[in-house]
Amino acid sequence: MNADFSNGEVMNKNAQVIIDIKNLRKNFGSLEVLKGIDLQINKGEKVAIIGPSGSGKSTCLRCINQMETSSFGEIYFENDLITDCDPYLHDGIIRLSKTFNRLMNSGLDENCAIEKIKKERLLKKGEGRAFKLAKKEFEKNNKIDVNVARRKIGMVFQHFNLFNNLTVLQNLTLAPVLLKIKTKEDAEEKAVELLKRIGLEDKANVYPSTLSGGQKQRVAIIRALAMEPDVMLFDEPTSALDPEMVGEVLELMKDLANEGMTMVVVTHEMGFAREVASRIVFMNEGIIAEENNPEEFFTNPKNERLKEFLSKVL
Amino acid sequence: MTEWEKFVKQFITLGGYKRVLDGLLATIEIAVFGLIIGIIIGTLIGIVKVMPKNNIFVKIIDKIFTVYVAFFRGTPMVVQLLLGHFIVLPLMKINVDAVIEAIVIFGMNSGAYVSEIMRGGINSVDKGQLEAGRAVGLGYWTAMFKIVIPQSIKNILPTLGNEFISLIKETSVVSFIAVTDLTRAFRQLGDATYSYLVPYLMLAAIYLVLVLLISWGVKAMERRFKKNER
């Protein structure tokens, strides 16, 4: 199960799982926004994350590509660790900690000591050299540069965030060219092709400030596509749009979904979630309160808070 | 001889204009290269100031820059020139042309001011811009230089123009380290004839023209930037 390097086990390489979130926690100061999220996203899945505001859904999404650095827990992208090693997930590393030794000396048995440490989150800063080395070793073996992972994780923001100092075409070619993924010519060819797809090829050389909200968001989506990502994250992509522009953006997202793109979408568009998502995750107060397929999720919700939420939004 | 005739004689017949031209050149050199160095230093400091301070290395650099800015903003330009010319350079046994000395010291001084301007400029750019850059896999510095800084430059252009104007005017103190700039050239013209009225009026007029030219240039650049985004 858990990759526990100290047992000499190798990570169970599973090509199906694109994103694996383990016990993700995020604090802003003393405010705990995420209180332990476990979520696996498989290739081709379309996961919609919904929930009341302040439930941590955007933070959770932003942790996936580490736009928000997580406080605890681990996130794997295509089986590579992109966060720091979280010792609480590795019994073998906990065993090397001073706290563990102290508990053992006080007469607890091994399993109890580990349970206690995990439950009461007892690990502190100075847990000794062996502990630190083990963490480092684990990261050395599993962790990759988050910038490399981000190339394969497309992200679409609520407020589009097109690069205002660049033309539409340059927005699409900047990253592929700078990161030497494509030559300038190839990147431009691909960009024009993508622009044609959304019917904005005539806007290639204008600046984003001249586009409508819907156009901006569609360009933002193909900017992510220009990197040929393996998964796309959408952070409330239609929340900042005029109502009449929501449709064109959702259409494009549906097309992507139909082509088999793996998608994680934080959204308030229940219709879209119902129609497109293969799985819906309901977050409330920093935890996943319920997750299910759309059919069950909407017709037969179990969680009380979810029932209340659905009664308000549907 | 009238004041004017004295001046003309000194200026043209006795070749005073050569000195004035050299002085003008020195003034412009010091201000322009000083500003360039200032922008480079200021950008670097500005970026470090807004960087997330999540490692010890950044924290230390940040502290050093804080002291740097405090020193260069907290002491007069003349004092910095004197310290550089009479203390630091002799101690380091460096012997360079006084104009180069002045350029470096003006650049370092300007860097302190530009860093604050730059910090404001960077903060004026929506943080979503940096995020979007990072989200496609660009590193912090690449995203900064390709996306955030170009946008902040546009925002701070008027303030940067002001900095250039102050720099031009402040160069008038470089005679303290024996650089012949515009001011010193005209003072020497006056000294030679004991008649200061025309040289000093002329001096003021030239500074004024320089400053007006810069303001005009900055306005033109602003217009160009604006047009670029339509």
Side-chain angles (χ1 to χ4, degrees):
Chain A
M1 264 274 288
N2 269 352
D4 218 338
F5 87 98
S6 53
N7 301 344
E9 277 176 36
V10 184
M11 174 87 45
N12 178 20
K13 296 268 177 196
N14 187 341
Q16 280 312 105
V17 180
I18 288 204
I19 292 164
D20 193 357
I21 303 172
K22 295 180 176 181
N23 199 20
L24 172 65
R25 287 156 187 260
K26 172 72 186 175
N27 307 322
F28 289 111
S30 59
L31 181 71
E32 198 175 25
V33 182
L34 299 177
K35 301 171 183 169
I37 302 283
D38 285 282
L39 187 64
Q40 278 200 342
I41 290 153
N42 297 321
K43 198 169 163 47
E45 260 197 309
K46 294 96 182 76
V47 177
I49 303 177
I50 65 172
S53 57
S55 60
K57 53 194 191 309
S58 273
T59 308
C60 178
L61 188 83
R62 289 162 55 80
C63 278
I64 292 179
N65 65 352
Q66 290 290 292
M67 288 322 305
E68 254 7 298
T69 39
S70 41
S71 308
F72 291 102
E74 289 176 355
I75 298 172
Y76 292 83
F77 173 68
E78 296 178 341
N79 295 313
D80 293 316
L81 182 65
I82 59 171
T83 58
D84 286 343
C85 161
D86 181 0
Y88 288 109
L89 295 171
H90 306 283
D91 294 358
I93 296 179
I94 293 180
R95 275 192 201 96
L96 299 170
S97 68
K98 284 182 178 165
T99 307
F100 175 79
N101 285 325
R102 208 171 50 241
L103 290 175
M104 290 290 282
N105 290 337
S106 70
L108 277 177
D109 82 53
E110 207 180 305
N111 290 335
C112 284
I114 288 176
E115 277 314 304
K116 189 174 161 71
I117 287 173
K118 281 186 182 173
K119 207 168 156 207
E120 297 173 24
R121 305 195 73 78
L122 293 174
L123 296 177
K124 295 281 171 300
K125 263 204 167 139
E127 288 291 355
R129 209 176 127 75
F131 175 81
K132 222 168 153 180
L133 278 178
K135 259 180 78 174
K136 280 256 149 53
E137 178 75 14
F138 181 81
E139 285 173 4
K140 205 183 107 199
N141 292 335
N142 294 287
K143 191 173 170 177
I144 58 161
D145 179 7
V146 70
N147 286 330
V148 174
R150 281 177 183 155
R151 297 175 187 185
K152 288 284 161 197
I153 308 177
M155 183 156 201
V156 176
F157 299 87
Q158 183 177 358
H159 296 286
F160 333 126
N161 296 347
L162 291 178
F163 306 135
N164 294 324
N165 57 322
L166 303 176
T167 64
V168 167
L169 190 77
Q170 288 166 338
N171 262 275
L172 302 176
T173 57
L174 179 79
V177 174
L178 276 183
L179 297 171
K180 299 195 165 59
I181 294 168
K182 287 196 174 82
T183 64
K184 192 162 180 282
E185 291 71 33
D186 289 350
E188 279 176 3
E189 193 180 319
K190 172 90 180 169
V192 170
E193 183 191 316
L194 285 165
L195 279 170
K196 276 189 184 143
R197 172 181 177 160
I198 59 169
L200 292 178
E201 63 268 37
D202 56 327
K203 301 282 188 190
N205 294 315
V206 306
Y207 284 86
S209 59
T210 61
L211 301 178
S212 73
Q215 290 172 335
K216 280 182 191 167
Q217 193 60 302
R218 286 185 293 144
V219 170
I221 291 173
I222 61 168
R223 175 177 68 184
L225 286 179
M227 294 291 289
E228 296 172 355
D230 293 343
V231 57
M232 295 265 287
L233 311 177
F234 295 84
D235 188 4
E236 302 194 22
T238 57
S239 300
L241 291 174
D242 287 345
E244 54 175 348
M245 294 178 175
V246 171
E248 59 188 83
V249 171
L250 291 183
E251 271 315 307
L252 178 58
M253 289 170 64
K254 275 180 207 166
D255 285 348
L256 284 182
N258 291 335
E259 286 162 20
M261 176 62 75
T262 312
M263 293 162 64
V264 186
V265 188
V266 170
T267 186
H268 294 294
E269 297 288 333
M270 294 304 144
F272 175 81
R274 187 168 203 155
E275 189 184 338
V276 176
S278 52
R279 178 157 52 121
I280 302 184
V281 171
F282 175 69
M283 281 188 65
N284 186 35
E285 293 177 354
I287 55 161
I288 294 180
E290 184 158 343
E291 75 181 288
N292 219 328
N293 62 55
E295 191 56 33
E296 277 288 297
F297 186 90
F298 285 109
T299 53
N300 191 15
K302 291 164 193 76
N303 180 284
E304 281 310 313
R305 184 67 183 87
L306 173 58
K307 284 180 194 167
E308 185 195 335
F309 180 78
L310 288 178
S311 73
K312 281 181 190 155
V313 296
L314 287 183
Chain B
M1 265 204 287
T2 63
E3 295 271 330
W4 176 252
E5 283 160 352
K6 279 189 211 165
F7 174 75
V8 170
K9 184 178 170 221
Q10 191 65 31
F11 191 72
I12 296 172
T13 321
L14 296 174
Y17 68 91
K18 281 183 216 146
R19 193 171 274 274
V20 166
L21 283 181
D22 285 347
L24 178 65
L25 186 67
T27 291
I28 292 175
E29 271 177 357
I30 295 169
V32 169
F33 291 113
L35 184 70
I36 292 171
I37 296 176
I39 290 176
I40 294 169
I41 296 177
T43 306
L44 188 72
I45 300 181
I47 295 179
V48 170
K49 286 271 165 225
V50 299
M51 247 178 137
K53 312 278 183 300
N54 49 14
N55 78 49
I56 185 80
F57 183 66
V58 177
K59 276 182 199 156
I60 291 171
I61 301 269
D62 180 57
K63 282 280 172 293
I64 294 173
F65 283 159
T66 306
V67 173
Y68 175 95
V69 171
F71 175 78
F72 279 97
R73 291 206 308 175
T75 56
M77 190 67 238
V78 181
V79 175
Q80 292 161 21
L81 283 172
L82 294 176
L83 280 175
H85 185 70
F86 293 107
I87 315 258
V88 179
L89 288 183
L91 272 181
M92 293 166 76
K93 297 200 170 28
I94 295 174
N95 193 3
V96 290
D97 189 61
V99 173
I100 302 210
E101 254 177 64
I103 288 175
V104 171
I105 295 169
F106 268 82
M108 292 174 76
N109 176 285
S110 174
Y113 287 93
V114 174
S115 73
E116 285 298 298
I117 299 173
M118 202 50 101
R119 193 168 62 98
I122 292 170
N123 285 334
S124 75
V125 176
D126 177 37
K127 74 178 179 25
Q129 294 286 313
L130 178 64
E131 277 187 358
R134 299 303 309 275
V136 283
L138 301 180
Y140 180 83
W141 290 88
T142 315
M144 252 352 210
F145 278 113
K146 291 288 176 184
I147 299 157
V148 178
I149 300 288
Q151 292 180 51
S152 61
I153 294 272
K154 198 189 74 193
N155 294 343
I156 64 175
L157 209 56
T159 331
L160 225 43
N162 271 342
E163 172 63 18
F164 191 30
I165 288 171
S166 342
L167 222 49
I168 277 268
K169 292 187 295 184
E170 268 193 291
T171 54
S172 59
V173 300
V174 289
S175 61
F176 274 86
I177 59 167
V179 176
T180 301
D181 70 323
L182 202 57
T183 304
R184 196 181 195 213
F186 275 103
R187 208 175 63 216
Q188 286 169 341
L189 279 185
D191 286 344
T193 56
Y194 298 110
S195 149
Y196 294 98
L197 179 71
V198 180
Y200 282 2
L201 281 179
M202 196 80 96
L203 176 61
I206 294 179
Y207 275 117
L208 186 60
V209 168
L210 283 178
V211 168
L212 289 176
L213 279 176
I214 296 170
S215 323
W216 176 79
V218 171
K219 284 231 171 64
M221 272 169 83
E222 272 180 75
R223 267 199 306 275
R224 237 194 70 203
F225 269 113
K226 282 220 178 76
K227 208 167 76 193
N228 247 346
E229 286 188 12
R230 287 293 147 225

